C-alpha cells in the first residue's frame, strides 16, 4: 500500500513537471545583500554570481538575496502572456522588478508571506504574478527575496495555459493528503470518545499539531485560515514545529510507557519535551531566526531518540511497537532529508518536499495502526484472562463448592473484566439466582458431610443441580445476546414448560426456604415467543417472591401459579403470601434501577427487564396487584395460532 502511495506521489510530481510544456528560458545569477540596504538602483551596478541550480537554496539566513534573471525569449514566445511562479510559500518578502534592455523599470510586484494575502494577483499559496513584456521581448527580472527561515527560491516563468494546467496536480495531492489526515482524526476521535484512552488523545494532539505545521509550510494556512493575522503568519512555522515536537514526545512516552520500561530514556525524552514546550513560549518573544534554528535541530534529534526508544521497547517484547518503529523510521528519513534540505546540506527541493509528505503520511498511518494493534493486544490479554478465570471458576466449583467466599471472589474478579453496560448488568442479575442456588447446594453438602449423612444419591442429585445451573449460566450469555438481536428464534411451546423449567432451576432455593409451590391445573395453552426469555421473567418473579417471603416470614410460605384464558390471550399469574407491596411504591417497581433491597442484593433492573421482554418483545402486558394474601404478577401473553 505504501509503495503504491510513494509511486502515486512521484507520478504526480512528474506529471506536474510535464504539464508545464511552455516555459521561458533564462540565465540566473545571485547577489547577497549582507546589510540588507541595497535598492534596485544600487543593485544594477553590482556583479552577480552565476548559478546553475534550478532551485536556489541558501539554507537558513536572514540576509536578503538578489536574483538576476536575463530573459531572451524566442520570437514565437514574445506575444504570449507569461507568469512568474515561485513555488515556496514560507518566503517572507519578495520584491520583483522587471527592467527592459534600456534599464527602465517596466513593472514592480511586492509579495511575500508577511504581506497581505489579498494583495496577491492570484489567490494561490504559491506566489504567481503576471510579467508584462517589453516590445522586443528582451528584459531582465530582478528579485529581492528575504526570509527568516530557509531561503529556497524555486523560480519558473510559465505561460498562461501551462500554469492553469499545473495547478490541478497540487490541488489533487493536497486533497488526498489532508483528506487522509481528516479521516485519521475523525476515526481516532470516535475511538477516543468511546474508550477515553489517553493514548488516542495524545495521538490526536500530535496529528493536529502536524497538520498545523504542514499548513504553515505549504501556504494553505495563509491562503485560507490565518492570512488576516500577521503574527500567526510570521510565527506559525516555529509554533507548529515546537508544538509538534512536544506532542510527539508526549504521545510516545505514553504509548511506549517509557517511564516503566525505559526510565533513563524517559528522563531524556522528558527534558526534550520540556525544551520543546519552552520553545513554544519563546516563539512569542524571541527573534524568529533563533527559534527556527533551534526547532530545526530539535526536529532532527527527537525522531532519532523516539525511534531508539521504540526499538528498545520492541526488543522487550511489546508487539504494538513494531508499527510504531516502522512509522517513525519512515518519518525520520523524511524529517532528516527535509531538515538537511532546509539547511542547504543536500539539494532536491521538490523531491525533499514529497519525501517529507510521504514520510508523514506513512508515519501517521503506522501510528494509528499501532494504536489499533495495542487495543487488540489488550483485548487478547483480556480474553486470555477471562478464559483462565472461567477455567479456574469451573475447577473451584467442582472441587470446593463449600468455599463460598472463594467462589464470590472469583465472581468478583470475573465481573471486573466484564464490559460495562446495561446488558452486562442484566446478565449479572440473571446469574445471581443460580449462584444463590449453588450456595445453598454448597451449604447442604457441607452440613451433610459434617453430620455424616452424605450418600451417593444426595451427591448425584447435587451434581445434577450444579450442572444444570452452570449450563443455565452459560446459556444466559447467548440468551441475552439474542435478546437485542432480530435473529432471536421464536418457538411454539406449552406454557407449563416455562413453569417447570423455572421451578427446576429454583428448586434448591425454594426447598431451602421451605416454600411450598401450588401449580395450576392441567391445560392446553400454547404460546409463541422466545422461550428462554419467558423463563428469565418467571425466574425474576420467583426470586422476588422468595425474597419477600424470607423478609416477611409468614408461618407458611407459598408461591401460587395460575393459568387462565382471557379472550385471545392467556394469563400466567405468580402470587405469594408475603403480605403484598407497599402502595406508596407499587407504581414504581417497574422503573429502571428502582429497588427496595440493599446495594449488594438488588440492582433494580429485574422487573424493568421483565416488562421490556413481555411488552416490547412478546406484545403482551405485565401487571402487579395486591391480593388478600400478598402480591400477584399477571403476565398476559398472546396465544399461539397453532398448537404443536
Amino acid at each position: 500500500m505504501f509503495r503504491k502511495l510513494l509511486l502515486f506521489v512521484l507520478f504526480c510530481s512528474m506529471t506536474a513537471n510535464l504539464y508545464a510544456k511552455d516555459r521561458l528560458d533564462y540565465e540566473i545569477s545571485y547577489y547577497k545583500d549582507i546589510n540588507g540596504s541595497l535598492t534596485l538602483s544600487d543593485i544594477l551596478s553590482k556583479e552577480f554570481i552565476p548559478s546553475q541550480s534550478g532551485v536556489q537554496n541558501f539554507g537558513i539566513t536572514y540576509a536578503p538575496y538578489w536574483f538576476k534573471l536575463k530573459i531572451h525569449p524566442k520570437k514565437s514566445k514574445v506575444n504570449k502572456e507569461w507568469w512568474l511562479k515561485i513555488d515556496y510559500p514560507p518566503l517572507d518578502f519578495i520584491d520583483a522588478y522587471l527592467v527592459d534592455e534600456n534599464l527602465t523599470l517596466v513593472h514592480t510586484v511586492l509579495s511575500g508571506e508577511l504581506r497581505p494575502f489579498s494583495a496577491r494577483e492570484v489567490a494561490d499559496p504559491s506566489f504567481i504574478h503576471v510579467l508584462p513584456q517589453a516590445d522586443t521581448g528582451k528584459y531582465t527580472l530582478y528579485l529581492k527575496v528575504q526570509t527568516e527561515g530557509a531561503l529556497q527560491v524555486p523560480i519558473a516563468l510559465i505561460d498562461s495555459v501551462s500554469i492553469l494546467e499545473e495547478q490541478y496536480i497540487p490541488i489533487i495531492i493536497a486533497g488526498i493528503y489532508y483528506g487522509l489526515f481528516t479521516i485519521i482524526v475523525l476515526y481516532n476521535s470516535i475511538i477516543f470518545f468511546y474508550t477515553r484512552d489517553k493514548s488516542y488523545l495524545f495521538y490526536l494532539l500530535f496529528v493536529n499539531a502536524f497538520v498545523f505545521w504542514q499548513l504553515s509550510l505549504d501556504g494553505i494556512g495563509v491562503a485560507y485560515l490565518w492570512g488576516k493575522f500577521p503574527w500567526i503568519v510570521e510565527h506559525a512555522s516555529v509554533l507548529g514545529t515546537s508544538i509538534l515536537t512536544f506532542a510527539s514526545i508526549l504521545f510516545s512516552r505514553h504509548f511506549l510507557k517509557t517511564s516503566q520500561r525505559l526510565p533513563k530514556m524517559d528522563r531524556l525524552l522528558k527534558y526534550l519535551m520540556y525544551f520543546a514546550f519552552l520553545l513554544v513560549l519563546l516563539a512569542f518573544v524571541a527573534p524568529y531566526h533563533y527559534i527556527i534554528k533551534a526547532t530545526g535541530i530539535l526536529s532532527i534529534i527527537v525522531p532519532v531518540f523516539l525511534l531508539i526508544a521504540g526499538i528498545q521497547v520492541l526488543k522487550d517484547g511489546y508487539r504494538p511497537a513494531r508499527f510504531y518503529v516502522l512509522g517513525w523510521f519512515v518519518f525520520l528519513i523524511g524529517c532528516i532529508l527535509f531538515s538537511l534540505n532546509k539547511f542547504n546540506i543536500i539539494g532536491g527541493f521538490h523531491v525533499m518536499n514529497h519525501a517529507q509528505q510521504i514520510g508523514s503520511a506513512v508515519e501517521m498511518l503506522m501510528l494509528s495502526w499501532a494504536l489499533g494493534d495495542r487495543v487488540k493486544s489488550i483485548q487478547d490479554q483480556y480474553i486470555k484472562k477471562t478464559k483462565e478465570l472461567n477455567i479456574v471458576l469451573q475447577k473451584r466449583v467442582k472441587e470446593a463448592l463449600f468455599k463460598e467466599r472463594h467462589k464470590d471472589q472469583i465472581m468478583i474478579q470475573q465481573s471486573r473484566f466484564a464490559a460495562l453496560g446495561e446488558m452486562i448488568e442484566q446478565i449479572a442479575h440473571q446469574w445471581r439466582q443460580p449462584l444463590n442456588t449453588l450456595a445453598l447446594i454448597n451449604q447442604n453438602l457441607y452440613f451433610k458431610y459434617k453430620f455424616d449423612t452424605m450418600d451417593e444419591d444426595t451427591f448425584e442429585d447435587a451434581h445434577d443441580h450444579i450442572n444444570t445451573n452452570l449450563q443455565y449460566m452459560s446459556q444466559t450469555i447467548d440468551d441475552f445476546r439474542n435478546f437485542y438481536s432480530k435473529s432471536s428464534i421464536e418457538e411454539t411451546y406449552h406454557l407449563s414448560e416455562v413453569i417447570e423449567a423455572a421451578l427446576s432451576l429454583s428448586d434448591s432455593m425454594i426447598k431451602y426456604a421451605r416454600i411450598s409451590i401450588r401449580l395450576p391445573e392441567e391445560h392446553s395453552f400454547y404460546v409463541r415467543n422466545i422461550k428462554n426469555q419467558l423463563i428469565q421473567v418467571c425466574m425474576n418473579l420467583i426470586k422476588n417472591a422468595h425474597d419477600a417471603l424470607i423478609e416477611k416470614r409468614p408461618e407458611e410460605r407459598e408461591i401460587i401459579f395460575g393459568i387462565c384464558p382471557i379472550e385471545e390471550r392467556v394469563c400466567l399469574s405468580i402470587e405469594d403470601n408475603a403480605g403484598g407491596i407497599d402502595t406508596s411504591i407499587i407504581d414504581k417497581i417497574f422503573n429502571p434501577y428502582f429497588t427496595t433491597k440493599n446495594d449488594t442484593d438488588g440492582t433494580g433492573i429485574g422487573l424493568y427487564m421483565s416488562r421490556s421482554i413481555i411488552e416490547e418483545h412478546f406484545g403482551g402486558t405485565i401487571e402487579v396487584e395486591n391480593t388478600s394474601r400478598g402480591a400477584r404478577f399477571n403476565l398476559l401473553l398472546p396465544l399461539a395460532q397453532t398448537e404443536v
Side-chain angles (χ1 to χ4, degrees):
M1 179 180 69
F2 301 111
R3 183 183 299 177
K4 292 180 181 179
L5 178 63
L6 174 61
L7 292 175
F8 173 76
V9 176
L10 292 177
F11 167 77
C12 292
S13 177
M14 294 172 60
T15 307
N17 292 330
L18 291 174
Y19 268 134
K21 298 177 181 178
D22 205 354
R23 296 173 179 261
L24 277 179
D25 296 327
Y26 55 83
E27 298 176 7
I28 187 169
S29 54
Y30 65 90
Y31 183 86
K32 182 177 182 180
D33 186 358
I34 298 176
N35 297 322
S37 58
L38 299 178
T39 62
L40 177 63
S41 58
D42 298 326
I43 207 68
L44 292 176
S45 60
K46 300 296 182 179
E47 184 176 351
F48 282 70
I49 302 174
S51 174
Q52 303 298 326
S53 175
V55 177
Q56 309 304 308
N57 188 348
F58 299 94
I60 296 178
T61 176
Y62 187 68
Y65 273 77
W66 286 84
F67 299 95
K68 181 179 180 181
L69 283 70
K70 291 184 177 180
I71 305 171
H72 302 286
K74 298 178 181 179
K75 292 183 179 180
S76 59
K77 298 183 178 183
V78 170
N79 295 323
K80 286 188 175 183
E81 185 177 50
W82 296 97
W83 295 79
L84 167 67
K85 180 178 181 180
I86 301 178
D87 194 10
Y88 187 58
L91 295 175
D92 293 345
F93 300 99
I94 301 175
D95 300 342
Y97 305 97
L98 194 64
V99 178
D100 62 16
E101 52 189 349
N102 297 320
L103 299 182
T104 301
L105 181 62
V106 176
H107 187 63
T108 301
V109 174
L110 302 180
S111 186
E113 187 181 43
L114 297 186
R115 289 187 171 125
F117 185 83
S118 58
R120 300 187 187 185
E121 293 184 59
V122 178
D124 189 85
S126 302
F127 304 104
I128 302 175
H129 301 282
V130 68
L131 292 178
Q133 292 195 47
D135 295 337
T136 60
K138 297 180 181 180
Y139 47 83
T140 302
L141 178 63
Y142 289 91
L143 295 175
K144 180 182 179 182
V145 182
Q146 184 177 8
T147 188
E148 291 190 82
L151 197 148
Q152 295 179 309
V153 191
I155 303 172
L157 302 178
I158 316 173
D159 73 327
S160 300
V161 175
S162 298
I163 200 169
L164 287 175
E165 293 175 342
E166 229 181 42
Q167 295 305 100
Y168 288 110
I169 293 300
I171 293 174
I172 293 173
I173 294 177
I176 294 174
Y177 186 74
Y178 288 107
L180 173 65
F181 278 86
T182 301
I183 293 172
I184 290 175
V185 169
L186 291 176
Y187 174 75
N188 288 279
S189 296
I190 293 172
I191 296 178
F192 170 71
F193 177 78
Y194 284 105
T195 64
R196 293 296 191 271
D197 188 341
K198 289 184 179 180
S199 293
Y200 284 96
L201 177 63
F202 297 151
Y203 175 68
L204 288 170
L205 176 62
F206 176 43
V207 173
N208 283 283
F210 186 88
V211 170
F212 175 76
W213 175 78
Q214 185 65 37
L215 288 171
S216 69
L217 183 68
D218 56 24
I220 295 179
V222 175
Y224 303 108
L225 298 176
W226 54 76
K228 296 181 179 180
F229 304 97
W231 189 92
I232 299 179
V233 172
E234 183 177 2
H235 295 82
S237 178
V238 292
L239 275 177
T241 306
S242 304
I243 297 173
L244 175 61
T245 305
F246 172 82
S248 65
I249 300 175
L250 180 64
F251 164 73
S252 299
R253 290 180 62 226
H254 191 271
F255 177 79
L256 298 175
K257 297 188 182 301
T258 54
S259 60
Q260 302 173 14
R261 296 188 175 102
L262 305 170
K264 293 183 179 179
M265 176 63 75
D266 183 72
R267 284 194 294 271
L268 176 60
L269 293 177
K270 188 184 297 184
Y271 293 143
L272 290 173
M273 185 177 71
Y274 292 155
F275 181 65
F277 184 75
L278 178 62
L279 290 179
V280 175
L281 300 179
L282 290 176
F284 291 89
V285 293
Y288 178 91
H289 57 279
Y290 291 131
I291 302 299
I292 190 64
K293 291 180 180 179
T295 55
I297 295 173
L298 201 61
S299 65
I300 296 177
I301 295 175
V302 169
V304 174
F305 284 113
L306 294 180
L307 179 61
I308 293 173
I311 293 174
Q312 291 179 348
V313 171
L314 181 60
K315 288 181 178 179
D316 290 340
Y318 186 54
R319 287 181 56 81
R322 64 190 188 276
F323 298 111
Y324 175 92
V325 170
L326 178 60
W328 272 110
F329 176 76
V330 176
F331 183 65
L332 175 64
I333 299 300
C335 281
I336 291 177
L337 293 176
F338 182 79
S339 297
L340 293 178
N341 178 253
K342 298 311 172 189
F343 280 105
N344 197 27
I345 298 176
I346 59 174
F349 173 79
H350 295 289
V351 175
M352 291 305 102
N353 276 354
H354 287 313
Q356 181 269 335
Q357 290 180 338
I358 294 171
S360 63
V362 171
E363 188 224 11
M364 295 306 171
L365 287 172
M366 286 291 99
L367 292 183
S368 183
W369 199 341
L371 285 171
D373 191 56
R374 172 178 171 272
V375 172
K376 184 179 182 302
S377 176
I378 295 174
Q379 183 182 20
D380 291 342
Q381 293 177 9
Y382 167 78
I383 294 174
K384 181 180 178 181
K385 290 181 179 180
T386 302
K387 289 180 178 179
E388 292 174 352
L389 286 172
N390 286 333
I391 294 173
V392 171
L393 176 61
Q394 293 175 5
K395 182 178 179 181
R396 291 186 179 181
V397 168
K398 291 179 180 179
E399 294 180 354
L401 292 176
F402 60 93
K403 297 181 179 180
E404 184 178 0
R405 180 176 298 178
H406 291 175
K407 178 197 64 179
D408 292 338
Q409 291 175 351
I410 293 172
M411 296 308 300
I412 291 173
Q413 288 177 340
Q414 183 148 349
S415 67
R416 289 175 181 172
F417 289 97
L420 297 177
E422 182 178 327
M423 187 180 295
I424 298 303
E425 290 293 339
Q426 294 171 356
I427 293 173
H429 183 81
Q430 294 307 309
W431 276 18
R432 185 172 289 107
Q433 189 276 335
L435 285 175
N436 288 334
T437 302
L438 291 176
L440 295 175
I441 296 173
N442 175 32
Q443 293 180 5
N444 187 34
L445 289 175
Y446 176 78
F447 286 118
K448 286 184 178 293
Y449 172 77
K450 284 294 185 179
F451 291 103
D452 198 22
T453 59
M454 177 70 71
D455 54 32
E456 184 175 350
D457 292 338
T458 300
F459 183 81
E460 290 293 337
D461 184 62
H463 173 269
D464 292 340
H465 279 85
I466 291 170
N467 188 54
T468 300
N469 279 275
L470 290 177
Q471 289 180 359
Y472 169 77
M473 292 170 67
S474 177
Q475 183 64 34
T476 300
I477 301 298
D478 295 333
D479 292 342
F480 276 92
R481 179 191 62 191
N482 296 330
F483 173 67
Y484 291 102
S485 174
K486 294 181 180 179
S487 62
S488 298
I489 300 175
E490 295 185 347
E491 56 181 306
T492 301
Y493 58 90
H494 199 279
L495 192 56
S496 62
E497 296 177 18
V498 171
I499 300 176
E500 293 172 0
L503 289 174
S504 176
L505 292 173
S506 307
D507 184 62
S508 297
M509 176 184 68
I510 292 171
K511 287 182 178 180
Y512 185 81
R514 297 179 181 179
I515 300 173
S516 61
I517 302 296
R518 188 190 305 179
L519 296 175
E521 298 180 356
E522 291 292 329
H523 63 85
S524 58
F525 299 117
Y526 290 83
V527 293
R528 181 172 180 79
N529 49 50
I530 302 171
K531 185 177 181 180
N532 283 334
Q533 291 186 2
L534 187 54
I535 293 174
Q536 291 164 12
V537 173
C538 291
M539 293 284 288
N540 282 337
L541 299 179
I542 292 172
K543 181 63 170 58
N544 286 341
H546 165 272
D547 294 344
L549 290 168
I550 294 297
E551 180 183 356
K552 300 296 180 61
R553 299 181 179 181
E555 293 182 1
E556 295 182 0
R557 301 170 182 174
E558 187 176 27
I559 297 178
I560 305 169
F561 289 85
I563 297 177
C564 65
I566 300 178
E567 296 180 352
E568 296 182 356
R569 296 189 175 192
V570 59
C571 178
L572 170 61
S573 63
I574 302 176
E575 181 181 359
D576 60 59
N577 63 335
I581 303 173
D582 190 338
T583 55
S584 64
I585 65 170
I586 195 169
D587 294 332
K588 303 177 182 178
I589 62 173
F590 290 109
N591 293 343
Y593 305 112
F594 178 81
T595 179
T596 59
K597 303 173 184 178
N598 58 45
D599 294 339
T600 58
D601 292 335
T603 61
I605 62 173
L607 291 177
Y608 169 75
M609 184 200 67
S610 298
R611 185 177 65 176
S612 177
I613 292 175
I614 298 300
E615 296 183 356
E616 298 180 13
H617 294 264
F618 291 177
T621 58
I622 181 171
E623 300 172 349
V624 62
E625 60 179 340
N626 285 327
T627 66
S628 59
R629 297 167 51 84
R632 179 166 63 196
F633 287 85
N634 299 315
L635 282 62
L636 275 73
L637 303 170
L639 284 168
Q641 296 298 322
T642 58
E643 300 180 359
V644 294

